[in-house]
Amino acid sequence: LAATQRRIHAVASVHRALYREPLAETVNLGVFLDELGDSLRALVSDGRDRRTITVKADDFDLPNEHAAAFAIMVSELVGNACKHAYRVDDPGEVRILFDATPSGDWRLAVEDDGVGIGHLNGGERGLGSHIIQAVCKKLGGQHAWEACYPGTRFMMWTGSKPRRARSSNAMTMVGEILD
């Protein structure tokens, strides 16, 4: 039920962004991810502020037809991190990092410092993993899961494949780990 609620809120975020500028053909992804982060914070809040969601995103013009898929994927990744990365009563942060390059390529990372995935393929059985794979295909991006010790990092990118992080347990920005 919580996953369905996140997906609905993600689509609602897209509709709000499109309604503000109905003639625009793109959505500013930096602003959009900030707003989506606010919505997700409200959804995962348990009144005790156990989960924090941090967004650091460059401005980037994402075509409107991709905005809903992008929002649902990010919501799915954040929801999974909040649910699986940390024990119920343990505090934890989930970071959404988006970096646009001058060439027009971009890189997305959603990462946490939780218990980790224990393998590099991510969860491959649930609806969420199918959503993630479908969105990557729709956006023409590649993706990978990375165990960070502690934590997990999901990466999606266009252009050349990013390098792995040098320091696997450091809090990183996408531009520093994915040059």
Side-chain angles (χ1 to χ4, degrees):
L1 185 58
T4 301
Q5 188 177 22
R6 280 192 309 274
R7 292 174 188 131
I8 291 169
H9 277 271
V11 173
S13 293
V14 171
H15 286 279
R16 279 191 301 276
L18 297 177
Y19 180 75
R20 276 194 302 271
E21 296 190 42
L23 299 178
E25 295 180 7
T26 61
V27 170
N28 180 326
L29 196 56
V31 172
F32 180 70
L33 285 174
D34 281 337
E35 292 172 359
L36 182 60
D38 291 341
S39 294
L40 292 172
R41 275 184 213 96
L43 285 174
V44 302
S45 175
D46 63 359
R48 297 179 294 174
D49 292 328
R50 296 263 182 226
R51 301 289 180 264
T52 58
I53 298 172
T54 305
V55 178
K56 303 245 183 207
D58 289 351
D59 289 335
F60 181 80
D61 290 330
L62 182 71
N64 287 346
E65 64 266 16
H66 294 154
F70 201 92
I72 290 170
M73 180 184 69
V74 170
S75 298
E76 195 68 34
L77 291 162
V78 169
N80 286 346
C82 287
K83 180 179 177 182
H84 299 294
Y86 303 103
R87 292 186 179 95
V88 173
D89 289 328
D90 290 345
E93 179 183 27
V94 177
R95 294 174 293 279
I96 303 168
L97 310 166
F98 181 82
D99 180 37
T101 66
S103 67
D105 289 324
W106 51 264
R107 302 163 191 146
L108 169 72
V110 177
E111 60 185 27
D112 62 68
D113 298 318
V115 297
I117 56 175
H119 53 81
L120 297 179
N121 295 322
E124 293 185 357
R125 294 188 183 139
L127 175 61
S129 63
H130 295 294
I131 289 171
I132 291 165
Q133 290 176 8
V135 171
C136 289
K137 184 176 181 177
K138 177 179 177 90
L139 298 178
Q142 300 176 44
H143 71 284
W145 296 89
E146 186 173 274
C148 296
Y149 309 106
T152 302
R153 179 180 299 119
F154 170 85
M155 298 180 296
M156 181 177 169
W157 66 93
T158 60
S160 60
K161 184 174 178 165
R163 295 187 321 232
R164 287 184 74 137
R166 287 184 210 100
S167 174
S168 60
N169 63 355
M171 183 169 155
T172 56
M173 290 299 299
V174 174
E176 294 173 3
I177 60 169
L178 306 176
D179 287 332

